[in-house]
Amino acid sequence: MKKLTLFILTMIITFSITGFNRGASENLHVETQYIRVGLKYGSKAVNASQVYTKGIITYGVYNGDNFIPLYKGKEGEQAVIKKDDYYHIVIAGFGGDLDKGLSYIDELRKKNVDGFLMYDEGGYSVVTGEYMSQEDANNALNSLKNIILDRKLTVVNPAKAIYIITSQKISVRTDRLIVRPSNNFIEIDNDTTYRGELWFVRQDGSDMTVINYLPLEQYLYSVVPSEMPSSWPMEALKAQAVAARSYAVANLGANSKYAKYGFDVSNDVSSQAYNGYIYTYNGNKYSGESSRTNEAVDDTKGIVLIYNGKVIDALYFSHSGGYTENSEDVFKYAEPYYRSVNDPYSLGYNPDLDNWSVTYTQAELKDMLKKKGIDVGDILDIKITDKSSSGRATSVIISGTKNNYTLQGETNIRMSLGLKSAMIKSIAKAGEKTVNRVVTVTDGRMTIAKDIESLYAIKGDWSTSKVSGNLFVISKFGLGQLNDAVNEPQNQSIPESFTFVGSGSGHGVGMSQYGARGLAEKAGKSFIDILKYYYKDITVFDTTANKSL
């Protein structure tokens, strides 16, 4: 067996791994920033993952900003990273001497004892067993005493720990394991390759959160082509790069809505789309970067958008439908740089976004609404009751057989109704069928439902007549009105489907990506012109040269 030696040299990192606190423009050093991207977290956290690189992986932990290497794999070696929630029996401790620990594992094999490494603040130990309870571990310890006579055996309780499983197995008692490739490229689960490091983080009451930690500028190499086609005009790509960089910087560290998970941004459109260096789609591998978008990132290195000395989050979206939106009409907060603008530049590229139409059946709409916790029964009508100045719906009432429900806000309307945008031009019903009113009668054992149109009453002389007007029922509680046939309609028309017609795609706040294309391609505008068109009264600031552009 080739023995591995413990690194005795720790690398001092000059940047803070906890994030970046945005501040005045003169204090920014964006080009040296690193970013933490959440890949798997919350309900998508993992019990185990496989990692691979063509180079060599070093596994370690951070002590403050210092990286402490613990174990070095072999070149091209795959590894499984898995959470460890077991009791173990500690056989022997070796402090910082990894080689002695590995040699002792070989000795244990001769005694048919399967030992493996454990690392904690006290250094390396050799342990054995995976036990679900203290009792099981104690029973195994008592049996092991008859085999290992020269060591004091102890049981170690479960803690936040993570396994590294290669040709060796090591349990690292840490809540954050660092996986660092020698060539800066790391693949996870035979699926996606990322630049930088992977972090596996133990969260309370959860599986492992997986985080990609890498330089901000390299992160943008993947974000820009993930968000905008690399074939689009270079000035549009540069505008996208600056907007994406500004969004990332504004969400670093404590500013992030994901701070509780230990990262800055997610890898999807909840933050910004981020496909990594190589990604898998339908079983095929694709490049997550392109030379043109890398050029756009490099040419705008360190450039961000500033308002009142702060980096703004520079929101953007796909297609404006002709007008962008004021921030308060979507997100309920007013920012002076997010003002609605006339945007003809978005139009003329994508007919499916210039003017779109989508039809949902009654069943499809009911299912979508129920997933949002909304149940109005059969949907009778959907009406827009309020719009913003740009024409986006801000209030929609859904009338149903059970009750009515009002959707408030652009995002809620768009997501609840499954629409590309809230710029709804019309809502049409089709295939309406008449359903008569129904009354139900129960004797405690069974319930009978009757169409009111087929309901008859027996008179005192045993003759019958069709019911009309107000209906009453006699029960042990006395006389009560069953329903009000005068004030309620005699029947209801239930549409079979609803067709929505509208324009645009996305929330509408900030920069329209199709508009950026149009400004560059049709109007010949620079990336600075594009950014100043969509973000009002901002400063385009070069943090590398420390000057406004």
Side-chain angles (χ1 to χ4, degrees), residues 394-414:
T394 56
S395 180
V396 169
I397 188 167
I398 304 171
S399 302
T401 55
K402 290 183 178 179
N403 52 59
N404 298 336
Y405 189 90
T406 300
L407 294 172
Q408 296 282 4
E410 183 277 342
T411 302
N412 192 24
I413 293 168
R414 174 166 50 93

Side-chain angles (χ1 to χ4, degrees), residues 94 125 149 225 311 318 349 361 400 406 411 418 421 423 446 479-480 510 549:
F94 298 94
S125 300
L149 305 175
V311 181
S318 177
Y349 289 108
T361 65
T406 300
T411 302
S421 84
M423 190 175 278
M446 61 183 296
L479 184 67
L549 300 179

Side-chain angles (χ1 to χ4, degrees), residues 217 219-230 232-248 269 271-274 292-298 300 303-305 313-319 510-517 520 526-532 534-535:
E217 297 297 314
Y219 160 74
L220 295 174
Y221 285 161
S222 175
V223 170
V224 176
S226 298
E227 287 284 359
M228 181 177 282
S230 60
W232 282 17
M234 181 55 70
E235 294 304 306
L237 296 176
K238 289 180 181 179
Q240 178 64 68
V242 174
R245 182 181 294 108
S246 299
Y247 179 90
V269 293
S271 293
Q272 304 185 112
Y274 172 66
R292 294 192 79 244
T293 49
N294 283 5
E295 179 184 346
V297 173
D298 291 341
T300 61
I303 298 176
V304 292
L305 302 181
D313 55 0
L315 299 176
Y316 54 88
F317 59 97
S318 177
H319 189 297
M511 183 182 74
S512 166
Q513 291 166 314
Y514 272 97
R517 176 184 180 181
S526 70
F527 77 93
I528 297 175
D529 296 328
I530 294 169
L531 294 167
K532 289 185 175 181
Y534 289 111
Y535 306 102

Side-chain angles (χ1 to χ4, degrees), residues 243-447:
R245 182 181 294 108
S246 299
Y247 179 90
V249 170
N251 283 280
L252 291 177
N255 300 309
S256 172
K257 61 183 178 181
Y258 299 107
K260 66 178 181 179
Y261 293 109
F263 58 85
D264 305 307
V265 294
S266 68
N267 65 337
D268 56 24
V269 293
S270 298
S271 293
Q272 304 185 112
Y274 172 66
N275 290 328
Y277 182 70
I278 297 173
Y279 66 96
T280 302
Y281 181 73
N282 286 340
N284 297 313
K285 297 284 188 181
Y286 298 93
S287 174
E289 300 180 5
S290 84
S291 58
R292 294 192 79 244
T293 49
N294 283 5
E295 179 184 346
V297 173
D298 291 341
D299 286 353
T300 61
K301 184 176 182 179
I303 298 176
V304 292
L305 302 181
I306 302 289
Y307 184 84
N308 278 350
K310 303 287 186 179
V311 181
I312 71 169
D313 55 0
L315 299 176
Y316 54 88
F317 59 97
S318 177
H319 189 297
S320 71
Y323 289 89
T324 67
E325 189 59 272
N326 296 319
S327 59
E328 63 268 26
D329 290 324
V330 176
F331 302 115
K332 304 305 178 187
Y333 62 86
E335 293 288 4
Y337 42 85
Y338 289 137
R339 297 297 91 198
S340 177
V341 299
N342 180 26
D343 183 33
Y345 306 102
S346 290
L347 304 173
Y349 289 108
N350 191 331
D352 292 334
L353 297 183
D354 289 350
N355 294 286
W356 50 259
S357 174
V358 61
T359 299
Y360 292 114
T361 65
Q362 175 82 214
E364 288 171 335
L365 266 178
K366 286 167 65 177
D367 184 59
M368 284 193 295
L369 291 173
K370 284 182 179 178
K371 289 178 179 177
K372 298 289 184 181
I374 303 167
D375 183 7
V376 298
D378 289 325
I379 301 168
L380 302 175
D381 202 5
I382 302 175
K383 289 183 178 179
I384 298 171
T385 55
D386 199 9
K387 288 188 174 185
S388 68
S389 59
S390 74
R392 288 173 174 81
T394 56
S395 180
V396 169
I397 188 167
I398 304 171
S399 302
T401 55
K402 290 183 178 179
N403 52 59
N404 298 336
Y405 189 90
T406 300
L407 294 172
Q408 296 282 4
E410 183 277 342
T411 302
N412 192 24
I413 293 168
R414 174 166 50 93
M415 302 302 289
S416 296
L417 298 176
L419 305 177
K420 293 178 181 177
S421 84
M423 190 175 278
I424 306 168
K425 304 296 179 64
S426 66
I427 305 172
K429 300 179 287 186
E432 293 183 82
K433 61 180 181 180
T434 299
V435 178
N436 293 326
R437 287 170 57 212
V438 171
V439 294
T440 58
V441 181
T442 181
D443 64 358
R445 293 172 298 174
M446 61 183 296
T447 299

